[in-house]
Amino acid sequence: MSLPHTRRQRPSLRRRLLVFLVIPMAALLLLDALLTYGVALTYANRVHDRDLSDDAVTLAKMLGNDQLGSQLTPQARFLLEYDPDGRSYFSITSARRGLLGGNGQLPQLGYTPALGAVPTLYDTQLDKHSLRAASIHIAARHDPGDSLVITVAETLRDRHVQAREILLLATLMQTLLILSLLSLVWFGVSRGLRVLDPLTARLAARSHELTPIDGPDVPQEIQPLTRTIDALFGRLRSMLALHDRFIADAAHQLRTPLTGLSLHVDRALADPRPETVTDALAHIQRLTQRAARTSSQLLALTRAQAAPLDNVERGPLDLGRMIPEAVAQRIHEAIRAGVDLGYEGLRQPLYIDGDAASVLDLLDNLIDNAMRYAGRGSTVTVNLQAHADGGAVLSVEDNGPGVPPELLPRLRERFFRAADSGEEGSGLGLAIVQRIAERHHAEVIYRLGEEHGLSVEVRFPPAISPATGPG
């Protein structure tokens, strides 16, 4: 039994913005609560310390106005025992007679305060309870030789209760303020995102157009996205144009051999004599080979017209090893064609940045073009030299009939063939060379040979990638 497919929730820009706002605000609210509690506790301590000092002073005045015996007056005792929870403590100690009243266990200050000074505040402990105490030292009224130390103390509970009440009120107000602010942010984000509506409408109104979508109404924050989309549209337009050009070129180049095939098939069917059929089959074979070569050339041209090589395709290539090996593989073919094919140039490493398959296609097309148009009995020489700037110069020269000087600039055009060349071809070989060279940021130079023939020179820029030999 298969489980139902759970649809993943799409990311929301509005929800993402709110999350990025809520989390920092919650952290700030927590930090503010801690700071508020600290401030409230400090304020409560100051108020209670002042009240505690006032109680000690008031008790000292009451004792100074009454005749002190072994018992406190009812008014003084009422003042000290007002707390029904029993969290207030006091003690009255005589310098001569000791404890006169209060809690005997209440810890005293480690020293006697100055006589007649303001109350001294200090922290102490009683039965594991933290206390805050105030002590004052006064002279006994009816006994000039005696003095009294009056201590009033209380627990810290009321201070913390008051600080928590202040914190609760402040937190409630700040929470309401943050919620109101988030509501305003939600409203603002919702309204602000409406600026994308014209862009959305413009995209929805298009059918098959790949024109740029960036415009003056696109916000600055969205421009990186629209520019990326425009770049993608540009690459798609180039690919579609390349596709259309390939179809047009294929239709243009394959129409002639296909028409010839049809004519020779009809001729063989109309005249079944062996010599007619043999001649028709020979023409059919030649036209088939021409169509196959044209198709291969068209595919090679399409690959060569792709975008420039990126960092993934580029790599260090040792032309000093690769070019002689590639020429050696064409020797047997050149012998069958009656062409003297040779190599002259460097044998030591010479590196460029590029794609090995593309560079070999370039060399093959140069050799094919030279062998085809130079003809039997000709000489084709492949040369490789290092350039003064650190790059490489690859050249292929033949001693064939060559081309008129005024036609040299047109050799890089697609489907161009000299009118008096006498050889069948697609006119794509040198166009492929030109496109591959452009992808490698290389320069192609066409010139006439020293005596006659054609020389094609390709100048590659110096290598940037680390030059490493074969592993």
Side-chain angles (χ1 to χ4, degrees):
M1 181 177 180
S2 60
L3 296 176
H5 176 68
T6 302
R7 184 178 181 180
R8 184 178 180 182
Q9 187 177 13
R10 288 182 175 272
S12 170
L13 180 60
R14 183 183 292 106
R15 185 169 55 250
R16 186 178 180 86
L17 290 174
L18 288 177
V19 167
F20 280 121
L21 288 173
V22 167
I23 294 178
M25 285 187 177
L28 287 176
L29 180 60
L30 178 60
L31 179 60
D32 182 71
L34 296 176
L35 293 176
T36 300
Y37 183 77
V39 172
L41 186 59
T42 301
Y43 172 76
N45 285 333
R46 289 182 179 179
V47 172
H48 280 262
D49 285 350
R50 186 170 60 248
D51 293 342
L52 200 60
S53 297
D54 291 344
D55 290 343
V57 172
T58 302
L59 180 59
K61 289 181 179 180
M62 293 177 65
L63 292 175
N65 293 330
D66 295 329
Q67 178 68 31
L68 186 61
S70 60
Q71 299 292 331
L72 292 176
T73 62
Q75 294 85 354
R77 187 169 294 279
F78 174 78
L79 173 65
L80 298 171
E81 295 178 351
Y82 70 94
D83 192 345
D85 294 331
R87 293 188 176 88
S88 294
Y89 307 89
F90 71 96
S91 68
I92 302 173
T93 306
S94 170
R96 291 183 175 181
R97 291 173 285 177
L99 181 65
L100 300 179
N103 306 97
Q105 297 177 349
L106 180 62
Q108 298 297 316
L109 192 61
Y111 61 92
T112 302
L115 187 64
V118 297
T120 300
L121 296 167
Y122 62 96
D123 296 319
T124 185
Q125 291 278 336
L126 178 61
D127 297 332
K128 297 183 180 179
H129 294 292
S130 297
L131 302 178
R132 184 69 168 170
S135 292
I136 186 171
H137 188 193
I138 63 174
R141 180 178 179 182
H142 302 286
D143 188 355
D146 194 8
S147 63
L148 303 176
V149 176
I150 302 171
T151 302
V152 180
E154 66 179 3
T155 61
L156 304 180
R157 175 181 175 275
D158 291 341
R159 300 167 183 250
H160 290 285
V161 169
Q162 187 175 4
R164 286 195 293 269
E165 290 176 353
I166 296 175
L167 173 63
L168 180 61
L169 292 175
T171 303
L172 179 61
M173 294 179 59
Q174 291 167 358
T175 302
L176 292 176
L177 180 62
I178 289 178
L179 291 177
S180 301
L181 180 61
L182 288 177
S183 300
L184 291 176
V185 170
W186 178 275
F187 176 76
V189 169
S190 300
R191 295 283 298 181
L193 290 177
R194 291 186 181 180
V195 74
L196 300 178
D197 291 345
L199 177 62
T200 304
R202 190 160 62 246
L203 287 173
R206 297 188 178 189
S207 55
H208 301 288
E209 297 181 7
L210 294 177
T211 53
I213 62 174
D214 195 11
D217 58 344
V218 176
Q220 295 181 356
E221 293 78 8
I222 308 299
Q223 278 190 341
L225 175 62
T226 57
R227 289 172 181 172
T228 303
I229 295 176
D230 289 343
L232 175 62
F233 283 175
R235 292 193 294 270
L236 289 176
R237 287 195 302 271
S238 300
M239 292 178 62
L240 292 176
L242 194 62
H243 178 266
D244 294 340
R245 183 183 300 175
F246 173 79
I247 294 177
D249 293 345
H252 176 268
Q253 291 298 309
L254 296 179
R255 182 171 58 248
T256 299
L258 291 178
T259 301
L261 288 173
S262 178
L263 291 176
H264 287 293
V265 169
D266 292 340
R267 185 164 68 92
L269 292 176
D271 188 358
R273 290 180 301 172
E275 58 273 17
T276 303
V277 173
T278 301
D279 183 67
L281 290 176
H283 282 83
I284 290 174
Q285 183 182 28
R286 186 173 66 255
L287 290 173
T288 302
Q289 293 174 350
R290 177 182 175 185
R293 174 171 175 77
T294 300
S295 300
S296 300
Q297 293 286 78
L298 286 172
L299 291 174
L301 179 62
T302 301
R303 290 194 301 268
Q305 288 176 335
L309 297 176
D310 55 26
N311 294 329
V312 177
E313 295 173 316
R314 296 175 67 89
L317 302 179
D318 182 9
L319 296 186
R321 178 184 59 84
M322 188 172 66
I323 298 301
E325 292 179 356
V327 174
Q329 294 176 2
R330 302 292 301 270
I331 295 295
H332 297 289
E333 179 184 351
I335 293 175
R336 290 195 301 269
V339 176
D340 181 11
L341 176 63
Y343 173 78
E344 296 179 356
L346 295 177
R347 295 286 181 175
Q348 63 265 28
L350 179 59
Y351 288 94
I352 66 167
D353 288 331
D355 173 58
S358 299
V359 174
L360 290 177
D361 283 344
L362 179 145
L363 179 62
D364 285 341
N365 278 280
L366 288 177
I367 295 176
D368 287 344
N369 184 79
M371 291 173 54
R372 178 178 297 274
Y373 292 100
R376 299 184 66 86
S378 61
T379 300
V380 176
T381 303
V382 180
N383 189 283
L384 177 66
Q385 299 293 334
H387 197 268
D389 62 358
V393 179
L394 173 65
S395 64
V396 177
E397 182 177 355
D398 64 73
N399 60 351
V403 296
E406 64 273 10
L407 297 182
L408 288 179
R410 299 195 59 190
L411 292 180
R412 66 192 70 212
E413 298 178 6
R414 294 182 307 133
F415 309 122
F416 175 76
R417 295 173 61 249
D420 56 350
S421 62
E423 288 290 333
E424 293 184 354
S426 61
L428 293 175
L430 295 181
I432 294 172
V433 170
Q434 183 68 33
R435 300 302 181 271
I436 294 177
E438 291 173 356
R439 295 187 67 201
H440 288 76
H441 307 288
E443 180 185 6
V444 182
I445 300 174
Y446 301 93
R447 58 166 59 97
L448 298 178
E450 295 182 0
E451 298 180 358
H452 51 80
L454 178 67
S455 174
V456 183
E457 185 178 283
V458 183
R459 296 182 178 179
F460 292 96
I464 300 177
S465 304
T468 57

